[in-house]
Amino acid sequence: MLEEPPVGDVGHQGRGGRGPDAGEGRMTQPKPALAFLYNLEDRLPIGRGVLYGMQHVIIMLPPTALAPVLLSGGLHLSPSLTISIVAATLVAAGLATLLQGNGAFGIGARLPVVQGTELYFLPPLIAIGLISGTGSIAFCVMLGGVLVCLISFFYRHIEKLFPPVVVGTIITLIGVALIPIGIEQFVGHGTPYFGTGKAFLVASVTFVCMLAFSIVLRGFLRSIAIVLAIVIGYALSVALGIVDFGPIKEAAWFGLPHLLPLGFDVPSLTEIVLIMLLFVVAAVETTGYVSATSTLVGVEPSRKRISSGLIADGIGSVVSGALGSTPMTAYAQNLGALSMTRVAARRISVFAGGILILLGLVPKFGAVLGTIPTPVLGGVALLLFGTVAGVGIKTLRPTLHTERSTVIIAASLSLGVGFALVPGEGIAFMSTNIALALQTGVAVGGLAAVILNLMIPEERTSPPPGDTAEVVTGH
């Protein structure tokens, strides 16, 4: 779908000088994997910055806003409390995104990273809220954020756990796990027009437009292909009568999030351990995403950068938990937007973070984006989620010359995808905690990749192309 840049063509050169890793003793900086219109340290005109930031917000807004809505529904919270938690989620996501892009006091990856909620936290958080009280959710989310911050300090000791074969596998699993979400949005699942020709038509037109724009357009127009596709899909939706403008009229103009709206309680040790395991998984995902983003935009995925990104990730969860919302984590789907738009400036996150905070403080403004029909978002998301899987495959490509890597990738993908699809009845004999962990496909596959990478010796190599002789192993 995206053409490869010629060898040596790194696109528009950065005007921002040396990056944050320039003082780590390296004489040269890696070249970007793609030819970018704007590189990492480039400054963006305000108008374009807003458009680029809005694209990333639109991509991550549905799952980010959906998480607190689903949490509220599972806990049977009042509508007013639900609106408050949604607003708090957007504010927390905006603050964490700003921190990742701009950095402060050595915290933040200083990359075009966008933070949002993670849906696989919802089932255990809802269960904990119903069993131990809603205040237990705030305790778990805040404690998990502290755990991620602590992991960042010990990252240099576990760096060997995440070579390209592991990082690429995790990114691929994330992309594969996101595709079902994209196709559900594509057909309008959970909406009044689910399963109708209107939903399929709108999503298909949006998908085709985005695909065509990414291939045909060049320069600035190509960089806003997502916005253009959404505008066309939205206009078609209005013409077909599937846009509900009611939320815009009903939303307030201004609102502030509240501290600990769900209270604060201490859950059981078992519940704490389950959530902390998921936070370790989220830290692994963030590590893989920061590494992949660094490589894509042409900077070293150094220990300092990854550690700083994890701290920002953890702080985002602490803030989110204090405001009554769910954990924050780096969003992999936005990696697809970087590849497609060819805009890699870290200041994208500054604009995106500011927009998210604005959406959280001005509910009426956020309601405008909320009127974008689900099939329009699905038409965009389906292509972007596939692009994330493609980025993972691209990361794996240099590792495929050994049988060892092939075995690690095959086993990890099989376990990750397989257990994510297993019916709940098939593992009903297990405890709820173990079953929930297994059905988190990224957790299973990612953990398998880490373990296999440590266990399988680096001694088996694949024969050269065309050579059918048996491979001789040994030191």
Side-chain angles (χ1 to χ4, degrees):
M1 180 180 65
L2 296 175
E3 71 274 19
E4 294 292 333
V7 176
D9 179 8
V10 297
H12 176 72
Q13 296 301 312
R15 296 183 291 272
R18 302 172 73 195
D21 290 333
E24 296 185 13
R26 285 182 294 277
M27 298 301 294
T28 59
Q29 178 171 294
K31 293 181 179 180
L34 301 172
F36 286 106
L37 180 64
Y38 288 96
N39 280 339
L40 182 65
E41 296 296 330
D42 289 349
R43 294 188 177 277
L44 297 171
I46 294 178
R48 293 191 177 192
V50 170
L51 281 176
Y52 297 147
M54 183 62 74
Q55 286 188 141
H56 284 267
V57 169
I58 290 174
I59 294 166
M60 56 81 68
L61 189 61
T64 296
L66 180 63
V69 171
L70 294 177
L71 180 70
S72 297
L75 297 174
H76 312 294
L77 303 180
S78 66
S80 60
L81 191 53
T82 300
I83 293 173
S84 176
I85 294 175
V86 170
T89 301
L90 297 179
V91 170
L95 290 173
T97 299
L98 274 172
L99 193 57
Q100 291 285 26
N102 192 63
F105 307 106
I107 299 173
R110 292 174 67 85
L111 290 171
V113 172
V114 178
Q115 297 280 138
T117 59
E118 182 56 79
L119 295 178
Y120 64 65
F121 277 99
L122 290 180
L125 284 178
I126 291 173
I128 290 172
L130 293 174
I131 296 172
S132 301
T134 57
S136 299
I137 295 174
F139 178 91
C140 288
V141 175
M142 295 174 70
L143 181 61
V146 173
L147 175 63
V148 173
C149 291
L150 293 175
I151 289 174
S152 71
F153 292 108
F154 296 99
Y155 175 76
R156 65 183 183 275
H157 299 299
I158 61 173
E159 189 175 18
K160 64 180 181 180
L161 300 178
F162 305 103
V165 66
V166 175
V167 173
T169 299
I170 292 173
I171 295 297
T172 303
L173 279 169
I174 292 171
V176 172
L178 290 171
I179 288 174
I181 298 175
I183 198 65
E184 285 187 356
Q185 293 178 335
F186 191 98
V187 297
H189 186 264
T191 68
Y193 35 87
F194 170 55
T196 65
K198 291 182 179 180
F200 195 85
L201 175 62
V202 167
S204 299
V205 169
T206 306
F207 181 91
V208 171
C209 286
M210 187 170 167
L211 180 62
F213 293 158
S214 67
I215 296 173
V216 176
L217 299 181
R218 292 292 182 269
F220 172 68
L221 290 178
R222 178 176 180 171
S223 68
I224 61 170
I226 298 171
V227 168
L228 294 176
I230 288 176
V231 168
I232 292 174
Y234 191 90
L236 178 59
S237 300
V238 172
L240 294 175
I242 62 173
V243 177
D244 180 14
F245 295 104
I248 300 177
K249 299 177 181 178
E250 298 173 3
W253 281 104
F254 182 78
L256 288 174
H258 303 287
L259 184 64
L260 297 175
L262 300 180
F264 190 80
D265 299 300
V266 180
S268 68
L269 181 60
T270 301
E271 293 168 334
I272 293 174
V273 170
L274 172 61
I275 297 298
M276 294 309 105
L277 288 175
L278 291 182
F279 268 100
V280 173
V281 173
V284 171
E285 291 181 359
T286 296
T287 298
Y289 180 45
V290 171
S291 298
T293 303
S294 298
T295 302
L296 183 68
V297 303
V299 296
E300 184 72 20
S302 64
R303 289 194 299 263
K304 178 180 178 181
R305 190 181 294 277
I306 294 173
S307 177
S308 298
L310 283 172
I311 295 175
D313 195 271
I315 290 175
S317 289
V318 172
V319 173
S320 184
L323 297 179
S325 190
T326 57
M328 290 287 135
T329 187
Y331 260 27
Q333 51 262 57
N334 290 77
L335 187 61
L338 295 179
S339 300
M340 185 165 294
T341 63
R342 304 297 177 95
V343 177
R346 63 183 176 83
R347 290 174 177 83
I348 290 175
S349 292
V350 176
F351 284 100
I355 292 171
L356 284 168
I357 294 173
L358 180 63
L359 292 177
L361 297 179
V362 185
K364 190 174 287 290
F365 184 44
V368 174
L369 287 180
T371 63
I372 299 176
T374 299
V376 174
L377 298 174
V380 170
L382 188 61
L383 188 56
L384 288 177
F385 295 166
T387 304
V388 172
V391 170
I393 294 171
K394 190 172 184 177
T395 305
L396 290 172
R397 188 169 60 184
T399 73
L400 297 177
H401 63 283
T402 67
E403 291 184 6
R404 174 183 182 274
S405 295
T406 301
V407 170
I408 292 173
I409 296 166
S412 303
L413 291 179
S414 297
L415 290 171
V417 176
F419 276 102
L421 298 176
V422 69
E425 296 80 2
I427 53 177
F429 64 93
M430 299 180 180
S431 69
T432 302
N433 292 351
I434 296 177
L436 286 174
L438 284 177
Q439 288 182 298
T440 305
V442 177
V444 176
L447 185 61
V450 171
I451 294 174
L452 291 174
N453 177 64
L454 294 174
M455 292 180 60
I456 301 178
E458 298 188 39
E459 58 183 8
R460 301 185 65 192
T461 58
S462 299
D467 187 356
T468 58
E470 182 179 357
V471 177
V472 180
T473 62
H475 296 285

